[in-house]
Amino acid sequence: MSINKLDQIDHSLLEILQSNGKITNAQLSKEIGLSPAPTLERVKKLETSGIIKSYHAQIDREKVGLGVMTFVQVSLAGHRKAVSEAFVEKISKVPEIIECHHVTGSCDFLLKVIAKDINSYQKLIMETINEIEEVASTQTMVILSTFKDTQVLPVP
Amino acid sequence: MSINKLDQIDHSLLEILQSNGKITNAQLSKEIGLSPAPTLERVKKLETSGIIKSYHAQIDREKVGLGVMTFVQVSLAGHRKAVSEAFVEKISKVPEIIECHHVTGSCDFLLKVIAKDINSYQKLIMETINEIEEVASTQTMVILSTFKDTQVLPVP
DNA sequence: GGAAGTGCAAAATATTATTTGGCACAAAGT
DNA sequence: ACTTTGTGCCAAATAATATTTTGCACTTCC
């Protein structure tokens, strides 16, 4: 097995596949200027090496009736490891929480949360998140509009 | 053309395709219990109606050398529309900024930013973001670890 | 009761992925 | 200098998959 040394072609592949995960191998090979066989071989290598983790369909939040997205800054009651672990454990079961990051700064965790509307968001925050005993306080930032939200990371 | 009324099968399709955007139509049809033809027809309808917006490969940040991800709270100098627009315009050209949301709360914008390491992050924040004249102040939350980061929205 | 529309399955066809074999080049060993 | 080995590529054959077509069953609405 070869080592992870990405050349210019691999970078192009990653960039294209990040923005279009459903491109056909034939089309992909044209865009990078190789024949299908080595193109496929490179993509497979990126997949098996774990550089490409997965493929996802992106759906339109608004169109499926998820009109509200927020960031929630969470401060925990205490900072022992067990407290964090208990919190994370409970958070992981809530499907409306689509991101949960442990962060530096004035709060402990930052969550990204989606909901149908403000009412169901309020219900979620009051009856689910604030009810978690490890949570000391929360502060919500409601997203008014999103100007950029790309899946494409600039591979260095 | 039919109206957007999603039944149970469509919900299953959306859930499966969000978590596995590369599943074959044959496999997909098995999982939802239909034959390939109507399965494909439904997926195409979800795509053309815009409910499925796009497909993306997800890559491993760490493995491509992007070790740092942060959230940046940005406060602008003034709140007139022109100020916001100028800021958004400049932000949109920076590939390291992968999300930019206008939010309620103590700051104006929340950015998600990636960088190779802390040094290059510092360079980015000092020489690019803080240099934007509309930016009054920034406050960074460095992500220490991520416990949840799903592409799968729970369709209501 | 019949017409039109919808959703489905089965089979035929078209497209695409994948494998195979072989060539060219470069690096390492003799 | 001459193998040897490995890598990366292409072209063509084969396998898998997507897509189209046809027709049937069921419902709804005249």
Side-chain angles (χ1 to χ4, degrees), chain A:
Chain A
M1 177 64 78
S2 77
I3 208 65
N4 284 341
K5 193 66 185 161
L6 302 181
D7 62 13
Q8 181 51 48
I9 295 177
D10 292 317
H11 279 79
S12 300
L13 288 174
L14 288 177
E15 190 180 331
I16 295 170
L17 288 173
Q18 283 186 94
S19 63
N20 179 9
K22 258 219 161 166
I23 190 172
T24 65
N25 187 59
Q27 184 63 32
L28 187 59
S29 65
K30 267 186 214 164
E31 298 203 9
I32 62 169
L34 284 183
S35 72
T39 303
L40 186 70
E41 195 182 356
R42 279 167 177 269
V43 173
K44 291 293 172 197
K45 199 167 287 181
L46 290 169
E47 288 170 1
T48 57
S49 70
I51 291 177
I52 293 177
K53 286 202 289 190
S54 48
Y55 294 86
H56 304 277
Q58 194 180 29
I59 72 176
D60 190 309
R61 263 196 315 118
E62 313 273 346
K63 286 192 176 159
V64 296
L66 291 166
V68 171
M69 185 153 75
T70 68
F71 286 101
V72 183
Q73 293 176 288
V74 176
S75 296
L76 294 191
H79 293 88
R80 276 189 297 279
K81 200 177 167 205
V83 175
S84 281
E85 284 173 351
F87 170 72
V88 168
E89 171 68 18
K90 288 167 191 171
I91 244 38
S92 69
K93 300 198 181 87
V94 184
E96 289 90 352
I97 299 175
I98 58 176
E99 293 185 29
C100 171
H101 309 278
H102 191 189
V103 295
T104 66
S106 59
C107 67
D108 297 315
F109 284 86
L110 187 66
L111 314 179
K112 189 190 272 185
V113 178
I114 56 164
K116 200 161 78 67
D117 50 35
I118 284 289
N119 282 339
S120 52
Y121 176 71
Q122 183 182 18
K123 198 161 184 300
L124 179 73
I125 203 85
M126 299 294 280
E127 298 179 11
T128 303
I129 300 177
N130 281 339
E131 281 301 308
I132 295 174
E133 62 174 325
E134 287 82 13
V135 172
S137 70
T138 62
Q139 196 172 340
T140 293
M141 297 181 274
V142 177
I143 297 179
L144 299 172
S145 53
T146 294
F147 294 100
K148 193 171 187 180
D149 189 0
T150 178
Q151 309 294 322
V152 184
L153 310 183
V155 178

Side-chain angles (χ1 to χ4, degrees), chain B residues 110-121:
Chain B
L110 187 65
L111 313 180
K112 189 190 272 185
V113 178
I114 55 163
K116 201 161 76 67
D117 50 36
I118 284 289
N119 282 338
S120 52
Y121 176 71

